[in-house]
Amino acid sequence: MQFFKMHALGNNYVFVDTARTTLPEDDFPSLARRVSDVRRGIGSDGLILVTPSDSADVGMRIWNADGSEAESCGNGLRCVARYAYERGLVDATHFSIETKAGVVAAQVHLDVEGRVQLVTIDMGVARFGTEAVPYRGPDRGEDVHVEAGGAQYTGTLVSMGNPHFVMLVDHVDDVDVEHVGGAIESHPDFPERVNVEFVSVLTPDEIDFRVYERGSGVTFACGTGACASVTALARKGLVGNRVTVHLLGGDLDIEIREDGHVWMTGEAHWVCEGTYYA
Ligand SMILES: N[C@H](CCC[C@H](N)C(=O)O)C(=O)O
């Protein structure tokens, strides 16, 4: 199987263009686990298939490293947008990508050589609370409490198509993201599990961000998580509508437009291309 690897702020995936190679199996959760394995496979935060689409210019599906399929992936979308433009799947700088969470608009920004420098994705509208994120705890509304590891945590439930639990902390480097994030990600109150974000407000247009991703663990960046975090904080009046998010792997520019749509701008990088011997 022919694959290519890309990363966006260190959030890295194995990509397969299903129109340009044969897949060793159609059990995609199994394939995602195998290619993500850093010792027996290629090593990544998950698997992304680039597919034909009836409703957009390009289709994208994403599986986490544990084989669970996610509804969307912001960093993956920027990588797919760069791939689609530079490898001729689209012939314009503005195009659409279909995800399980719906169709999104993509725009690539070129350098003088015509290579993609930055990618902007309209990630759609955030939805909040126990109506938007699968939750079976006792709370109602947007902020819920979770007991994990003997401590209680309060966070905001946000959906960007996929579920997020966003917690405000004083300093992200003081958080045990691995253990606290891991305990909340698989907490029984979240029947479909949840992506867990820890954020601290530096200024009204700048936040620090760490993430424990559903199905992949601690990653360097999470685009949907950055969007979820900015919208949760903006709703509380803690940040404005245009925020720089400092993730472990680098910065994302998040903007909440008048119509509520969340626009994400950031890099996407090629790593390698190759043949996977299943
Ligand atoms: N890294 C991705 C998020 C993957 C989401 C996945 N972990 C899930 O929702 O299960 C991003 O940049 O948005």
Side-chain angles (χ1 to χ4, degrees), residues 8 11 13 45 62 64 68-78 123 161-164 192-195 212-217 219 221-226 252 264:
N11 187 205
Y13 291 92
D45 292 327
I62 170 191
N64 295 306
S68 58
E69 185 171 6
E71 300 83 350
S72 184
C73 175
N75 287 320
L77 278 162
R78 296 201 314 280
M123 295 293 287
N162 59 352
H164 298 268
E192 293 181 15
R193 297 186 294 167
V194 72
N195 294 285
Y212 187 102
E213 278 196 41
R214 175 178 64 170
S216 295
T219 62
C222 181
T224 52
L252 278 177
M264 168 191 66

PDB file of all heavy atoms in Angstrom, residues 8 11 13 45 62 64 68-78 123 161-164 192-195 212-217 219 221-226 252 264, ligand 1:
ATOM      1  N   ALA A   8       0.926  18.306  11.158  1.00  0.00           N
ATOM      2  CA  ALA A   8       0.498  19.693  11.359  1.00  0.00           C
ATOM      3  C   ALA A   8       0.769  20.010  12.827  1.00  0.00           C
ATOM      4  O   ALA A   8       0.141  19.418  13.716  1.00  0.00           O
ATOM      5  CB  ALA A   8      -0.977  19.850  11.040  1.00  0.00           C
ATOM      6  N   ASN A  11       1.206  17.011  15.071  1.00  0.00           N
ATOM      7  CA  ASN A  11       0.091  16.041  15.077  1.00  0.00           C
ATOM      8  C   ASN A  11       0.161  15.331  13.738  1.00  0.00           C
ATOM      9  O   ASN A  11      -0.091  15.942  12.692  1.00  0.00           O
ATOM     10  CB  ASN A  11      -1.215  16.799  15.257  1.00  0.00           C
ATOM     11  CG  ASN A  11      -2.436  15.935  15.451  1.00  0.00           C
ATOM     12  OD1 ASN A  11      -3.531  16.381  15.150  1.00  0.00           O
ATOM     13  ND2 ASN A  11      -2.302  14.729  15.965  1.00  0.00           N
ATOM     14  N   TYR A  13      -0.045  12.036  10.916  1.00  0.00           N
ATOM     15  CA  TYR A  13      -0.915  10.957  10.461  1.00  0.00           C
ATOM     16  C   TYR A  13      -0.310  10.231   9.266  1.00  0.00           C
ATOM     17  O   TYR A  13       0.478  10.834   8.503  1.00  0.00           O
ATOM     18  CB  TYR A  13      -2.303  11.506  10.084  1.00  0.00           C
ATOM     19  CG  TYR A  13      -3.077  11.985  11.287  1.00  0.00           C
ATOM     20  CD1 TYR A  13      -3.004  13.324  11.705  1.00  0.00           C
ATOM     21  CD2 TYR A  13      -3.841  11.114  12.047  1.00  0.00           C
ATOM     22  CE1 TYR A  13      -3.671  13.769  12.831  1.00  0.00           C
ATOM     23  CE2 TYR A  13      -4.525  11.548  13.177  1.00  0.00           C
ATOM     24  CZ  TYR A  13      -4.428  12.865  13.565  1.00  0.00           C
ATOM     25  OH  TYR A  13      -5.087  13.298  14.691  1.00  0.00           O
ATOM     26  N   ASP A  45      -0.203   9.394  14.844  1.00  0.00           N
ATOM     27  CA  ASP A  45      -1.343   9.597  15.761  1.00  0.00           C
ATOM     28  C   ASP A  45      -2.615   8.959  15.210  1.00  0.00           C
ATOM     29  O   ASP A  45      -3.661   8.993  15.866  1.00  0.00           O
ATOM     30  CB  ASP A  45      -1.583  11.105  15.960  1.00  0.00           C
ATOM     31  CG  ASP A  45      -0.442  11.776  16.721  1.00  0.00           C
ATOM     32  OD1 ASP A  45       0.158  11.116  17.591  1.00  0.00           O
ATOM     33  OD2 ASP A  45      -0.135  12.940  16.427  1.00  0.00           O
ATOM     34  N   ILE A  62     -10.979   9.784   9.250  1.00  0.00           N
ATOM     35  CA  ILE A  62      -9.867   9.674  10.186  1.00  0.00           C
ATOM     36  C   ILE A  62     -10.144   8.636  11.257  1.00  0.00           C
ATOM     37  O   ILE A  62     -11.254   8.548  11.793  1.00  0.00           O
ATOM     38  CB  ILE A  62      -9.553  11.033  10.892  1.00  0.00           C
ATOM     39  CG1 ILE A  62      -8.565  10.809  12.042  1.00  0.00           C
ATOM     40  CG2 ILE A  62     -10.822  11.744  11.333  1.00  0.00           C
ATOM     41  CD1 ILE A  62      -8.316  11.903  12.987  1.00  0.00           C
ATOM     42  N   ASN A  64      -8.281   7.189  14.909  1.00  0.00           N
ATOM     43  CA  ASN A  64      -7.242   7.444  15.902  1.00  0.00           C
ATOM     44  C   ASN A  64      -6.303   6.251  15.983  1.00  0.00           C
ATOM     45  O   ASN A  64      -6.572   5.181  15.411  1.00  0.00           O
ATOM     46  CB  ASN A  64      -7.892   7.685  17.270  1.00  0.00           C
ATOM     47  CG  ASN A  64      -8.730   8.946  17.285  1.00  0.00           C
ATOM     48  OD1 ASN A  64      -8.243  10.027  16.945  1.00  0.00           O
ATOM     49  ND2 ASN A  64      -9.993   8.806  17.663  1.00  0.00           N
ATOM     50  N   SER A  68     -10.264   3.841  16.741  1.00  0.00           N
ATOM     51  CA  SER A  68     -11.601   4.463  16.797  1.00  0.00           C
ATOM     52  C   SER A  68     -11.706   5.545  15.725  1.00  0.00           C
ATOM     53  O   SER A  68     -10.748   6.287  15.483  1.00  0.00           O
ATOM     54  CB  SER A  68     -11.835   5.084  18.190  1.00  0.00           C
ATOM     55  OG  SER A  68     -10.835   6.046  18.491  1.00  0.00           O
ATOM     56  N   GLU A  69     -12.860   5.615  15.053  1.00  0.00           N
ATOM     57  CA  GLU A  69     -13.036   6.619  13.999  1.00  0.00           C
ATOM     58  C   GLU A  69     -13.531   7.917  14.608  1.00  0.00           C
ATOM     59  O   GLU A  69     -14.429   7.913  15.461  1.00  0.00           O
ATOM     60  CB  GLU A  69     -14.004   6.133  12.918  1.00  0.00           C
ATOM     61  CG  GLU A  69     -14.102   7.133  11.746  1.00  0.00           C
ATOM     62  CD  GLU A  69     -14.881   6.629  10.541  1.00  0.00           C
ATOM     63  OE1 GLU A  69     -15.478   5.527  10.622  1.00  0.00           O
ATOM     64  OE2 GLU A  69     -14.880   7.352   9.515  1.00  0.00           O
ATOM     65  N   ALA A  70     -12.942   9.029  14.204  1.00  0.00           N
ATOM     66  CA  ALA A  70     -13.357  10.356  14.674  1.00  0.00           C
ATOM     67  C   ALA A  70     -14.189  11.043  13.601  1.00  0.00           C
ATOM     68  O   ALA A  70     -14.069  10.743  12.418  1.00  0.00           O
ATOM     69  CB  ALA A  70     -12.139  11.205  15.021  1.00  0.00           C
ATOM     70  N   GLU A  71     -15.003  11.991  14.038  1.00  0.00           N
ATOM     71  CA  GLU A  71     -15.899  12.689  13.117  1.00  0.00           C
ATOM     72  C   GLU A  71     -15.158  13.741  12.297  1.00  0.00           C
ATOM     73  O   GLU A  71     -15.577  14.083  11.190  1.00  0.00           O
ATOM     74  CB  GLU A  71     -17.026  13.371  13.910  1.00  0.00           C
ATOM     75  CG  GLU A  71     -17.900  12.438  14.732  1.00  0.00           C
ATOM     76  CD  GLU A  71     -17.292  12.079  16.096  1.00  0.00           C
ATOM     77  OE1 GLU A  71     -16.088  12.395  16.350  1.00  0.00           O
ATOM     78  OE2 GLU A  71     -18.016  11.476  16.900  1.00  0.00           O
ATOM     79  N   SER A  72     -14.066  14.274  12.861  1.00  0.00           N
ATOM     80  CA  SER A  72     -13.334  15.323  12.149  1.00  0.00           C
ATOM     81  C   SER A  72     -11.928  15.434  12.715  1.00  0.00           C
ATOM     82  O   SER A  72     -11.603  14.816  13.736  1.00  0.00           O
ATOM     83  CB  SER A  72     -14.053  16.677  12.293  1.00  0.00           C
ATOM     84  OG  SER A  72     -13.371  17.672  11.522  1.00  0.00           O
ATOM     85  N   CYS A  73     -11.086  16.208  12.047  1.00  0.00           N
ATOM     86  CA  CYS A  73      -9.685  16.352  12.478  1.00  0.00           C
ATOM     87  C   CYS A  73      -9.124  17.611  11.834  1.00  0.00           C
ATOM     88  O   CYS A  73      -8.876  17.619  10.614  1.00  0.00           O
ATOM     89  CB  CYS A  73      -8.904  15.111  12.034  1.00  0.00           C
ATOM     90  SG  CYS A  73      -7.148  15.220  12.369  1.00  0.00           S
ATOM     91  N   GLY A  74      -8.942  18.652  12.647  1.00  0.00           N
ATOM     92  CA  GLY A  74      -8.528  19.935  12.073  1.00  0.00           C
ATOM     93  C   GLY A  74      -7.144  19.881  11.459  1.00  0.00           C
ATOM     94  O   GLY A  74      -6.938  20.344  10.329  1.00  0.00           O
ATOM     95  N   ASN A  75      -6.205  19.292  12.182  1.00  0.00           N
ATOM     96  CA  ASN A  75      -4.838  19.212  11.638  1.00  0.00           C
ATOM     97  C   ASN A  75      -4.806  18.309  10.409  1.00  0.00           C
ATOM     98  O   ASN A  75      -4.127  18.618   9.420  1.00  0.00           O
ATOM     99  CB  ASN A  75      -3.882  18.682  12.718  1.00  0.00           C
ATOM    100  CG  ASN A  75      -3.621  19.717  13.788  1.00  0.00           C
ATOM    101  OD1 ASN A  75      -3.460  20.899  13.490  1.00  0.00           O
ATOM    102  ND2 ASN A  75      -3.603  19.294  15.033  1.00  0.00           N
ATOM    103  N   GLY A  76      -5.580  17.242  10.469  1.00  0.00           N
ATOM    104  CA  GLY A  76      -5.645  16.344   9.303  1.00  0.00           C
ATOM    105  C   GLY A  76      -6.234  17.044   8.090  1.00  0.00           C
ATOM    106  O   GLY A  76      -5.762  16.853   6.959  1.00  0.00           O
ATOM    107  N   LEU A  77      -7.225  17.903   8.324  1.00  0.00           N
ATOM    108  CA  LEU A  77      -7.843  18.633   7.205  1.00  0.00           C
ATOM    109  C   LEU A  77      -6.842  19.557   6.524  1.00  0.00           C
ATOM    110  O   LEU A  77      -6.814  19.662   5.289  1.00  0.00           O
ATOM    111  CB  LEU A  77      -9.039  19.449   7.719  1.00  0.00           C
ATOM    112  CG  LEU A  77     -10.347  18.680   7.873  1.00  0.00           C
ATOM    113  CD1 LEU A  77     -11.303  19.428   8.782  1.00  0.00           C
ATOM    114  CD2 LEU A  77     -10.981  18.413   6.500  1.00  0.00           C
ATOM    115  N   ARG A  78      -5.974  20.204   7.315  1.00  0.00           N
ATOM    116  CA  ARG A  78      -4.980  21.091   6.695  1.00  0.00           C
ATOM    117  C   ARG A  78      -3.998  20.275   5.858  1.00  0.00           C
ATOM    118  O   ARG A  78      -3.591  20.698   4.758  1.00  0.00           O
ATOM    119  CB  ARG A  78      -4.266  21.939   7.747  1.00  0.00           C
ATOM    120  CG  ARG A  78      -5.185  22.899   8.492  1.00  0.00           C
ATOM    121  CD  ARG A  78      -4.460  24.058   9.152  1.00  0.00           C
ATOM    122  NE  ARG A  78      -3.283  23.647   9.888  1.00  0.00           N
ATOM    123  CZ  ARG A  78      -3.322  23.121  11.102  1.00  0.00           C
ATOM    124  NH1 ARG A  78      -4.489  22.902  11.708  1.00  0.00           N
ATOM    125  NH2 ARG A  78      -2.211  22.775  11.737  1.00  0.00           N
ATOM    126  N   MET A 123     -14.167  25.542  10.089  1.00  0.00           N
ATOM    127  CA  MET A 123     -14.470  24.318  10.851  1.00  0.00           C
ATOM    128  C   MET A 123     -15.935  24.240  11.258  1.00  0.00           C
ATOM    129  O   MET A 123     -16.328  23.357  12.028  1.00  0.00           O
ATOM    130  CB  MET A 123     -13.576  24.267  12.098  1.00  0.00           C
ATOM    131  CG  MET A 123     -12.090  24.130  11.780  1.00  0.00           C
ATOM    132  SD  MET A 123     -11.690  22.546  11.038  1.00  0.00           S
ATOM    133  CE  MET A 123     -11.860  21.485  12.484  1.00  0.00           C
ATOM    134  N   GLY A 161     -18.095  18.688  16.001  1.00  0.00           N
ATOM    135  CA  GLY A 161     -18.372  17.477  15.236  1.00  0.00           C
ATOM    136  C   GLY A 161     -17.866  16.286  16.031  1.00  0.00           C
ATOM    137  O   GLY A 161     -18.477  15.223  16.055  1.00  0.00           O
ATOM    138  N   ASN A 162     -16.735  16.498  16.737  1.00  0.00           N
ATOM    139  CA  ASN A 162     -16.223  15.513  17.694  1.00  0.00           C
ATOM    140  C   ASN A 162     -16.279  16.137  19.090  1.00  0.00           C
ATOM    141  O   ASN A 162     -16.377  17.334  19.250  1.00  0.00           O
ATOM    142  CB  ASN A 162     -14.795  15.100  17.313  1.00  0.00           C
ATOM    143  CG  ASN A 162     -13.837  16.283  17.271  1.00  0.00           C
ATOM    144  OD1 ASN A 162     -14.224  17.440  17.370  1.00  0.00           O
ATOM    145  ND2 ASN A 162     -12.546  15.984  17.159  1.00  0.00           N
ATOM    146  N   PRO A 163     -16.253  15.278  20.118  1.00  0.00           N
ATOM    147  CA  PRO A 163     -16.519  15.791  21.479  1.00  0.00           C
ATOM    148  C   PRO A 163     -15.280  16.293  22.215  1.00  0.00           C
ATOM    149  O   PRO A 163     -14.212  15.669  22.143  1.00  0.00           O
ATOM    150  CB  PRO A 163     -17.084  14.546  22.175  1.00  0.00           C
ATOM    151  CG  PRO A 163     -16.374  13.409  21.508  1.00  0.00           C
ATOM    152  CD  PRO A 163     -16.147  13.821  20.074  1.00  0.00           C
ATOM    153  N   HIS A 164     -15.454  17.396  22.969  1.00  0.00           N
ATOM    154  CA  HIS A 164     -14.333  17.980  23.717  1.00  0.00           C
ATOM    155  C   HIS A 164     -14.776  18.378  25.111  1.00  0.00           C
ATOM    156  O   HIS A 164     -15.934  18.779  25.319  1.00  0.00           O
ATOM    157  CB  HIS A 164     -13.796  19.216  22.988  1.00  0.00           C
ATOM    158  CG  HIS A 164     -13.246  18.912  21.629  1.00  0.00           C
ATOM    159  ND1 HIS A 164     -11.915  18.615  21.404  1.00  0.00           N
ATOM    160  CD2 HIS A 164     -13.862  18.805  20.420  1.00  0.00           C
ATOM    161  CE1 HIS A 164     -11.742  18.370  20.120  1.00  0.00           C
ATOM    162  NE2 HIS A 164     -12.892  18.468  19.505  1.00  0.00           N
ATOM    163  N   GLU A 192     -19.064   8.011  24.554  1.00  0.00           N
ATOM    164  CA  GLU A 192     -18.261   7.932  23.330  1.00  0.00           C
ATOM    165  C   GLU A 192     -16.850   8.455  23.580  1.00  0.00           C
ATOM    166  O   GLU A 192     -16.144   8.815  22.629  1.00  0.00           O
ATOM    167  CB  GLU A 192     -18.962   8.718  22.210  1.00  0.00           C
ATOM    168  CG  GLU A 192     -20.278   8.045  21.809  1.00  0.00           C
ATOM    169  CD  GLU A 192     -20.995   8.775  20.675  1.00  0.00           C
ATOM    170  OE1 GLU A 192     -20.354   9.619  20.001  1.00  0.00           O
ATOM    171  OE2 GLU A 192     -22.200   8.502  20.461  1.00  0.00           O
ATOM    172  N   ARG A 193     -16.442   8.541  24.864  1.00  0.00           N
ATOM    173  CA  ARG A 193     -15.190   9.103  25.295  1.00  0.00           C
ATOM    174  C   ARG A 193     -15.127  10.585  24.894  1.00  0.00           C
ATOM    175  O   ARG A 193     -16.134  11.152  24.405  1.00  0.00           O
ATOM    176  CB  ARG A 193     -13.989   8.298  24.784  1.00  0.00           C
ATOM    177  CG  ARG A 193     -13.966   6.857  25.324  1.00  0.00           C
ATOM    178  CD  ARG A 193     -12.697   6.143  24.927  1.00  0.00           C
ATOM    179  NE  ARG A 193     -12.647   5.951  23.478  1.00  0.00           N
ATOM    180  CZ  ARG A 193     -11.549   5.592  22.822  1.00  0.00           C
ATOM    181  NH1 ARG A 193     -10.418   5.403  23.476  1.00  0.00           N
ATOM    182  NH2 ARG A 193     -11.565   5.440  21.508  1.00  0.00           N
ATOM    183  N   VAL A 194     -13.962  11.218  25.118  1.00  0.00           N
ATOM    184  CA  VAL A 194     -13.926  12.669  24.853  1.00  0.00           C
ATOM    185  C   VAL A 194     -12.482  13.125  24.678  1.00  0.00           C
ATOM    186  O   VAL A 194     -11.553  12.522  25.243  1.00  0.00           O
ATOM    187  CB  VAL A 194     -14.620  13.429  26.018  1.00  0.00           C
ATOM    188  CG1 VAL A 194     -13.781  13.426  27.292  1.00  0.00           C
ATOM    189  CG2 VAL A 194     -15.009  14.845  25.615  1.00  0.00           C
ATOM    190  N   ASN A 195     -12.273  14.128  23.849  1.00  0.00           N
ATOM    191  CA  ASN A 195     -10.967  14.801  23.755  1.00  0.00           C
ATOM    192  C   ASN A 195     -10.865  15.781  24.919  1.00  0.00           C
ATOM    193  O   ASN A 195     -11.842  16.478  25.214  1.00  0.00           O
ATOM    194  CB  ASN A 195     -10.857  15.563  22.426  1.00  0.00           C
ATOM    195  CG  ASN A 195     -10.847  14.633  21.218  1.00  0.00           C
ATOM    196  OD1 ASN A 195      -9.860  13.971  20.930  1.00  0.00           O
ATOM    197  ND2 ASN A 195     -11.995  14.542  20.547  1.00  0.00           N
ATOM    198  N   TYR A 212      -5.153  15.906  25.599  1.00  0.00           N
ATOM    199  CA  TYR A 212      -5.105  14.444  25.600  1.00  0.00           C
ATOM    200  C   TYR A 212      -6.206  14.012  24.649  1.00  0.00           C
ATOM    201  O   TYR A 212      -7.393  14.200  24.936  1.00  0.00           O
ATOM    202  CB  TYR A 212      -5.358  13.870  26.999  1.00  0.00           C
ATOM    203  CG  TYR A 212      -5.159  12.365  27.092  1.00  0.00           C
ATOM    204  CD1 TYR A 212      -4.003  11.823  27.640  1.00  0.00           C
ATOM    205  CD2 TYR A 212      -6.127  11.479  26.600  1.00  0.00           C
ATOM    206  CE1 TYR A 212      -3.819  10.444  27.705  1.00  0.00           C
ATOM    207  CE2 TYR A 212      -5.951  10.105  26.650  1.00  0.00           C
ATOM    208  CZ  TYR A 212      -4.798   9.602  27.207  1.00  0.00           C
ATOM    209  OH  TYR A 212      -4.617   8.229  27.251  1.00  0.00           O
ATOM    210  N   GLU A 213      -5.841  13.478  23.517  1.00  0.00           N
ATOM    211  CA  GLU A 213      -6.830  13.189  22.480  1.00  0.00           C
ATOM    212  C   GLU A 213      -7.521  11.839  22.688  1.00  0.00           C
ATOM    213  O   GLU A 213      -6.877  10.838  23.018  1.00  0.00           O
ATOM    214  CB  GLU A 213      -6.157  13.153  21.104  1.00  0.00           C
ATOM    215  CG  GLU A 213      -5.962  14.500  20.481  1.00  0.00           C
ATOM    216  CD  GLU A 213      -5.659  14.373  19.006  1.00  0.00           C
ATOM    217  OE1 GLU A 213      -6.287  13.532  18.335  1.00  0.00           O
ATOM    218  OE2 GLU A 213      -4.782  15.113  18.542  1.00  0.00           O
ATOM    219  N   ARG A 214      -8.823  11.843  22.458  1.00  0.00           N
ATOM    220  CA  ARG A 214      -9.584  10.592  22.438  1.00  0.00           C
ATOM    221  C   ARG A 214      -8.915   9.651  21.437  1.00  0.00           C
ATOM    222  O   ARG A 214      -8.664  10.049  20.295  1.00  0.00           O
ATOM    223  CB  ARG A 214     -11.020  10.863  22.015  1.00  0.00           C
ATOM    224  CG  ARG A 214     -11.876   9.641  21.836  1.00  0.00           C
ATOM    225  CD  ARG A 214     -13.301   9.950  21.465  1.00  0.00           C
ATOM    226  NE  ARG A 214     -13.410  10.612  20.167  1.00  0.00           N
ATOM    227  CZ  ARG A 214     -14.590  10.803  19.550  1.00  0.00           C
ATOM    228  NH1 ARG A 214     -15.717  10.419  20.123  1.00  0.00           N
ATOM    229  NH2 ARG A 214     -14.638  11.424  18.372  1.00  0.00           N
ATOM    230  N   GLY A 215      -8.572   8.466  21.916  1.00  0.00           N
ATOM    231  CA  GLY A 215      -8.084   7.437  21.007  1.00  0.00           C
ATOM    232  C   GLY A 215      -6.638   7.554  20.600  1.00  0.00           C
ATOM    233  O   GLY A 215      -6.114   6.668  19.909  1.00  0.00           O
ATOM    234  N   SER A 216      -5.960   8.649  20.966  1.00  0.00           N
ATOM    235  CA  SER A 216      -4.548   8.797  20.573  1.00  0.00           C
ATOM    236  C   SER A 216      -3.648   9.217  21.721  1.00  0.00           C
ATOM    237  O   SER A 216      -2.431   9.147  21.582  1.00  0.00           O
ATOM    238  CB  SER A 216      -4.406   9.815  19.426  1.00  0.00           C
ATOM    239  OG  SER A 216      -5.043   9.329  18.252  1.00  0.00           O
ATOM    240  N   GLY A 217      -4.223   9.702  22.805  1.00  0.00           N
ATOM    241  CA  GLY A 217      -3.415  10.127  23.948  1.00  0.00           C
ATOM    242  C   GLY A 217      -2.874  11.538  23.777  1.00  0.00           C
ATOM    243  O   GLY A 217      -3.417  12.342  23.031  1.00  0.00           O
ATOM    244  N   THR A 219      -1.076  14.409  22.330  1.00  0.00           N
ATOM    245  CA  THR A 219      -0.500  14.729  21.015  1.00  0.00           C
ATOM    246  C   THR A 219       0.055  16.153  21.060  1.00  0.00           C
ATOM    247  O   THR A 219      -0.240  16.916  21.989  1.00  0.00           O
ATOM    248  CB  THR A 219      -1.565  14.656  19.894  1.00  0.00           C
ATOM    249  OG1 THR A 219      -2.579  15.631  20.159  1.00  0.00           O
ATOM    250  CG2 THR A 219      -2.189  13.263  19.820  1.00  0.00           C
ATOM    251  N   ALA A 221      -0.678  18.527  19.065  1.00  0.00           N
ATOM    252  CA  ALA A 221      -1.639  19.557  18.644  1.00  0.00           C
ATOM    253  C   ALA A 221      -2.966  18.906  18.323  1.00  0.00           C
ATOM    254  O   ALA A 221      -3.022  17.710  18.009  1.00  0.00           O
ATOM    255  CB  ALA A 221      -1.114  20.298  17.417  1.00  0.00           C
ATOM    256  N   CYS A 222      -4.020  19.682  18.400  1.00  0.00           N
ATOM    257  CA  CYS A 222      -5.363  19.200  18.051  1.00  0.00           C
ATOM    258  C   CYS A 222      -6.137  20.395  17.521  1.00  0.00           C
ATOM    259  O   CYS A 222      -6.446  21.329  18.281  1.00  0.00           O
ATOM    260  CB  CYS A 222      -6.046  18.604  19.288  1.00  0.00           C
ATOM    261  SG  CYS A 222      -7.688  17.960  18.944  1.00  0.00           S
ATOM    262  N   GLY A 223      -6.441  20.357  16.224  1.00  0.00           N
ATOM    263  CA  GLY A 223      -7.088  21.512  15.597  1.00  0.00           C
ATOM    264  C   GLY A 223      -8.524  21.694  16.060  1.00  0.00           C
ATOM    265  O   GLY A 223      -8.941  22.796  16.439  1.00  0.00           O
ATOM    266  N   THR A 224      -9.257  20.585  16.107  1.00  0.00           N
ATOM    267  CA  THR A 224     -10.646  20.701  16.600  1.00  0.00           C
ATOM    268  C   THR A 224     -10.650  21.117  18.059  1.00  0.00           C
ATOM    269  O   THR A 224     -11.517  21.879  18.501  1.00  0.00           O
ATOM    270  CB  THR A 224     -11.372  19.355  16.450  1.00  0.00           C
ATOM    271  OG1 THR A 224     -10.581  18.315  17.050  1.00  0.00           O
ATOM    272  CG2 THR A 224     -11.652  19.027  15.003  1.00  0.00           C
ATOM    273  N   GLY A 225      -9.628  20.649  18.804  1.00  0.00           N
ATOM    274  CA  GLY A 225      -9.535  21.018  20.219  1.00  0.00           C
ATOM    275  C   GLY A 225      -9.237  22.490  20.405  1.00  0.00           C
ATOM    276  O   GLY A 225      -9.766  23.124  21.327  1.00  0.00           O
ATOM    277  N   ALA A 226      -8.396  23.040  19.518  1.00  0.00           N
ATOM    278  CA  ALA A 226      -8.094  24.480  19.599  1.00  0.00           C
ATOM    279  C   ALA A 226      -9.352  25.302  19.316  1.00  0.00           C
ATOM    280  O   ALA A 226      -9.652  26.278  20.019  1.00  0.00           O
ATOM    281  CB  ALA A 226      -6.989  24.829  18.601  1.00  0.00           C
ATOM    282  N   LEU A 252      -1.685  28.053  16.342  1.00  0.00           N
ATOM    283  CA  LEU A 252      -2.827  28.102  15.423  1.00  0.00           C
ATOM    284  C   LEU A 252      -3.529  29.443  15.594  1.00  0.00           C
ATOM    285  O   LEU A 252      -3.597  29.982  16.704  1.00  0.00           O
ATOM    286  CB  LEU A 252      -3.816  26.973  15.735  1.00  0.00           C
ATOM    287  CG  LEU A 252      -3.508  25.582  15.164  1.00  0.00           C
ATOM    288  CD1 LEU A 252      -4.559  24.579  15.630  1.00  0.00           C
ATOM    289  CD2 LEU A 252      -3.421  25.609  13.651  1.00  0.00           C
ATOM    290  N   MET A 264      -9.911  28.249  11.204  1.00  0.00           N
ATOM    291  CA  MET A 264      -8.616  27.823  11.747  1.00  0.00           C
ATOM    292  C   MET A 264      -7.557  27.970  10.656  1.00  0.00           C
ATOM    293  O   MET A 264      -7.741  27.450   9.538  1.00  0.00           O
ATOM    294  CB  MET A 264      -8.724  26.343  12.177  1.00  0.00           C
ATOM    295  CG  MET A 264      -7.411  25.672  12.486  1.00  0.00           C
ATOM    296  SD  MET A 264      -7.598  23.873  12.661  1.00  0.00           S
ATOM    297  CE  MET A 264      -8.065  23.468  10.964  1.00  0.00           C
TER     298      MET A 264
HETATM  299  N1  LIG B   1      -5.984  15.674  16.053  1.00  0.00           N
HETATM  300  C1  LIG B   1      -7.289  16.018  15.515  1.00  0.00           C
HETATM  301  C2  LIG B   1      -8.399  15.589  16.404  1.00  0.00           C
HETATM  302  C3  LIG B   1      -8.661  14.197  16.241  1.00  0.00           C
HETATM  303  C4  LIG B   1      -9.874  13.950  17.025  1.00  0.00           C
HETATM  304  C5  LIG B   1      -9.909  12.564  17.561  1.00  0.00           C
HETATM  305  N2  LIG B   1      -8.907  12.365  18.601  1.00  0.00           N
HETATM  306  C6  LIG B   1     -11.278  12.273  18.109  1.00  0.00           C
HETATM  307  O1  LIG B   1     -12.132  13.182  18.091  1.00  0.00           O
HETATM  308  O2  LIG B   1     -11.482  11.151  18.536  1.00  0.00           O
HETATM  309  C7  LIG B   1      -7.445  17.481  15.226  1.00  0.00           C
HETATM  310  O3  LIG B   1      -6.448  18.096  14.877  1.00  0.00           O
HETATM  311  O4  LIG B   1      -8.580  17.986  15.318  1.00  0.00           O
END
